Amino acid sequence: MLFSSTVMVSALSVGHGARAASATAPHHKKTAKVAKEAKPGLVGAAPAAAVPAGGAAHAAATRAALQVPSQGEDIAISAQRRAHGTMITVGASAIARAVAGTNPLKVLAQQPGVMFQADDPQGVDTWSTQIYMHGFLQNQISTTLDDIPLGELAYRNYNGLNPIQAISSENVGRLDVSTGAGAESVASTNNLGGSIEYHSSDPKKKYGATVAQTFGSNNLFHTFVRLDSGELNHTGTKFYVSYMRNNTDKWKAGGNQFFQQVNAKLLQPIGEDSRISAFFDFSQYMQYNYQDYSLDIWKHGGNYIDNYYNGKASGYLASYAAALGNYPSYLNGISDKADAAYYDGASASTDLFGGLTGDFRLTDRVRWKTSFYGHGSQQYNTWSNPFYPSPNGAPMFEQVKEPSIQRFGVLSSVQYDVAHNHIEGGVWYENNKFVSTMYAYEQPLVVNGVIQGTPVNTLGDFTKLTPFMQLFGQITNTNTFTAFVQDTYNPLPNVALHFGFKSLLNTSRAGDGYYNTAYYGPGAEAAGTLTTARAFLPHISGDWHFLTHHELYFDVAENVHAYPQGQFKTVSSPFAVTQAAFDYARPSLKPESDWAYAVGYRYSDHFMDATLHAYHTDFFNRLQQITSGSIVNPVSTVLNVGGITMNGVDAGLTLRLMRGLSLYNSISWNHSTYDDNVTTQGVTYYSKGSQVVAYPRLMYKSSLSYAYKGFDTSIDASYMSQRNLSYTGDTKVPSYWLANFSMRYKFGNMGKYAHSLGFMQNLELDFNVYNLTNQFYVSTMGENGFPLSGDAQSFLLGAPRQFFGSIRAEF
């Protein structure tokens, strides 16, 4: 990890209601004080006690939660908006300890049962970013920003955007994470395995600015500038505007990875504890991608095989020769030389995203919250295809997927507190138009070693180019409606019981699409309508704080994943196949669903935090993308691989050995196996009893940290056991250890050093080393799907040792 593992993360109590607190306002302050004293290393801690959340006490706690932003520095968040069974919160101070620009999900991954993978050290290459929680992949985990749905957390997102494209990491106030069953109140159609709720930081009360610059290996430059207006009038109107720019060369081969972003937030308080807020995001993402690996490529080609692109003519000439069958000598040992490297591959996306929220306390017992939002996205995902010629005779062409998203929605909820009950109900509606197209662009000829023209700029403006053919095209329109009702009941001051359910109606219609028979052969792209309808998805949880430092909880829920959409041949979607395959599978199609169960225990005091979490999941109708052939034109099938039975245990322990010195250890064991064998095209693959693909059976994480005044430092290590590459488990990627180092010094207000520098509120210097021992390891898996058996070109290597230095000033 690129951060100090002494993160301020609190495992929170279960079932304290919508906007309920685990303590009254005075107890909330006490909890914050304990957290500060516990710094660093408050991992897996819980509030000391639960108290009645009804009546005036509940209202006071709610006001405290609103008035003390939970993104506050170095406090353990104890006020919660919803009842979750297994909630943890990652605060802004934890995210700030990472290298600037690091994906907040990488910070979350220090927690037991959570695995984050990426081929870059910051975790911002969306082709490779991948998070698992207790065996569930990111597209089975709901993700929101300020309650607004971000859709499926995946590279080929069809109904949202990746969180790093929605908000700069420096503007994230906190993450509320349910690693269990999720919450019925979260606006989502895919929360089989929990939820990740991003909350943006609020504008500051005082006028000021933040300027930060990070330098690193491979010419990394990360710049962040934020201006806060402060309160502009007696009503408290305030806003901020920020700009972020991240640019780095790839750690191997040619090309760079560029990302820039503008965020803005306006907050208008109304009365004592009501408010209207607006959030806006513009992001532009342009990155050359790393080439996908197979075990064969890794074994016989080493760690530095990548695409031929190097920004020079020599890169194009090498790829041109390879397309004609003349491969460089370093590929000699690889069985599939044609797929080992292409000319280039890249991802580009421009997104506009924003929402308007009104949060009003109507009476002492009634609160109403409503949000309107919209999102537009234009993407370009490119590969140089050496298996089909350009019209001019060049042996390759540039294939470019050009998907776009247009969506809008509204969500509204009402909370009512009466006696010991905290009741909430709400609805969510969204319309999403997903346009999926792919075009082919001509690459220039080479005559006598001279390029006759200019190669297509894979990160250029394709609106100025004319494709020579279209490969496919389709429009999918989706309407989603959900409703929920939940009640958290406090029969005793230290007991909370939660009951709720969610209803979901999701209908997607894929229109008649364009299908290039000259390229793909006879057939047609799938068209039709699929509906996911569940009237009653229950969620029950309970929490008991007993004695002074002890807590027990349980959580049970049923969830469903609406049928996903996606581009042709790219995802585990019934729409991503031919019409014949769609018609054949349709009568037997069922949406993915599960029953998730969890129980746990927490202990927390000044000297130690201990957690024990056990879970069981019955997973039904898991849809998986089965692939073979070239990764630029794969033979893809979406199959129901049947049920999955999952059992797991997490254990975490933080010891505060002396003032400022903290030791954290956690271990996670997961036994997640397929219930059925898979039969396709007359062949039976014996996957029954095999561990699920890509998720390790054992994870271990450790961190030693020390803090003294403005200085803190840490070293952390993690172990991942081997993971299955194939469904039958006959091919696996090896286990690995990864270690990282971090140190930081905060100077505080610079006026104490020189009076003329008093305008500088804080100056901070950071130094980080990623992958201390320079290990090469398999990071992301399955980006091109998984094989039923054998090897596949569908994983990426993690980055070698990297160094980073940062300077940050606040004015």
Side-chain angles (χ1 to χ4, degrees), residues 204-210 226-230 761 810-811:
K204 298 178 181 179
K205 291 184 177 181
K206 293 184 178 181
Y207 171 81
T210 300
R226 170 168 154 166
L227 175 66
D228 281 84
S229 69
Q761 300 301 311
E810 298 177 27
F811 305 95

Side-chain angles (χ1 to χ4, degrees), residues 689-719:
S690 178
Q691 178 81 0
V692 297
V693 291
Y695 193 71
R697 186 155 287 182
L698 181 67
M699 291 190 289
Y700 170 74
K701 300 167 186 177
S702 180
S703 174
L704 180 65
S705 60
Y706 177 72
Y708 178 73
K709 295 185 178 179
F711 173 79
D712 64 70
T713 184
S714 74
I715 184 168
D716 62 69
S718 60
Y719 170 78

Side-chain angles (χ1 to χ4, degrees), residues 233-512:
N233 50 44
H234 71 280
T235 66
T237 306
K238 52 188 176 180
F239 70 87
Y240 68 73
V241 178
S242 71
Y243 173 75
M244 183 278 295
R245 183 182 186 275
N246 197 91
N247 190 31
T248 180
D249 293 339
K250 292 168 57 182
W251 59 264
K252 62 177 177 179
N256 69 319
Q257 297 192 318
F258 174 81
F259 184 27
Q260 64 178 349
Q261 191 169 43
V262 174
N263 287 162
K265 185 173 183 178
L266 173 68
L267 177 61
Q268 175 60 63
I270 300 176
E272 184 178 351
D273 58 0
S274 296
R275 54 191 257 170
I276 296 175
S277 61
F279 181 83
F280 170 78
D281 168 71
F282 162 79
S283 69
Q284 185 180 47
Y285 185 93
M286 304 171 67
Q287 298 198 347
Y288 284 90
N289 298 135
Y290 293 92
Q291 177 62 297
D292 304 287
Y293 262 61
S294 65
L295 291 172
D296 175 65
I297 293 175
W298 196 17
K299 179 180 179 180
H300 297 106
N303 301 311
Y304 287 91
I305 298 294
D306 206 67
N307 291 323
Y308 297 106
Y309 176 84
N310 59 6
K312 304 175 184 177
S314 59
Y316 185 79
L317 293 174
S319 66
Y320 195 96
L324 294 172
N326 301 312
Y327 302 102
S329 59
Y330 61 79
L331 298 182
N332 283 346
I334 298 172
S335 59
D336 183 7
K337 300 178 181 63
D339 284 309
Y342 307 133
Y343 173 53
D344 59 19
S347 303
S349 178
T350 300
D351 290 85
L352 293 172
F353 169 77
L356 177 67
T357 298
D359 188 358
F360 306 104
R361 175 163 293 284
L362 304 182
T363 72
D364 286 343
R365 296 184 177 272
V366 179
R367 176 171 289 277
W368 172 45
K369 186 175 186 180
T370 297
S371 297
F372 299 90
Y373 65 91
H375 171 219
S377 176
Q378 179 62 60
Q379 305 169 40
Y380 296 92
N381 306 316
T382 71
W383 300 266
S384 182
N385 188 331
F387 303 107
Y388 194 93
S390 291
N392 60 6
M396 59 185 182
F397 74 94
E398 197 75 12
Q399 67 179 55
V400 183
K401 291 182 178 177
E402 303 181 13
S404 64
I405 296 171
Q406 294 180 10
R407 65 185 181 114
F408 66 88
V410 58
L411 50 157
S412 185
S413 64
V414 176
Q415 172 207 334
Y416 176 54
D417 298 327
V418 55
H420 297 286
N421 294 274
H422 318 295
I423 303 168
E424 185 179 10
V427 295
W428 167 47
Y429 170 76
E430 180 181 277
N431 175 263
N432 177 48
K433 178 182 178 182
F434 175 61
V435 180
S436 174
T437 58
M438 184 160 72
Y439 295 94
Y441 293 85
E442 185 177 78
Q443 289 282 21
L445 270 171
V446 173
V447 178
N448 297 324
V450 179
I451 304 173
Q452 306 299 301
T454 302
V456 173
N457 181 358
T458 193
L459 290 177
D461 185 356
F462 286 96
T463 62
K464 297 180 180 179
L465 301 179
T466 302
F468 68 84
M469 69 173 176
Q470 182 177 358
L471 282 77
F472 65 75
Q474 190 170 61
I475 298 176
T476 304
N477 195 279
T478 302
N479 286 287
T480 299
F481 177 81
T482 69
F484 75 92
V485 176
Q486 64 182 16
D487 177 25
T488 300
Y489 173 59
N490 295 102
L492 295 172
N494 60 338
V495 176
L497 299 175
H498 172 80
F499 308 89
F501 74 92
K502 176 180 180 178
S503 300
L504 180 146
L505 178 63
N506 175 275
T507 300
S508 295
R509 186 187 186 283
D512 295 331

Side-chain angles (χ1 to χ4, degrees), residues 162-201:
N162 193 296
I164 64 169
Q165 296 169 272
I167 184 171
S168 299
S169 61
E170 292 91 343
N171 293 328
V172 175
R174 73 177 193 272
L175 302 184
D176 288 340
V177 182
S178 170
T179 61
E184 58 270 38
S185 53
V186 176
S188 155
T189 61
N190 66 313
N191 61 324
L192 291 173
S195 59
I196 303 173
E197 300 175 72
Y198 283 70
H199 298 274
S200 62
S201 61

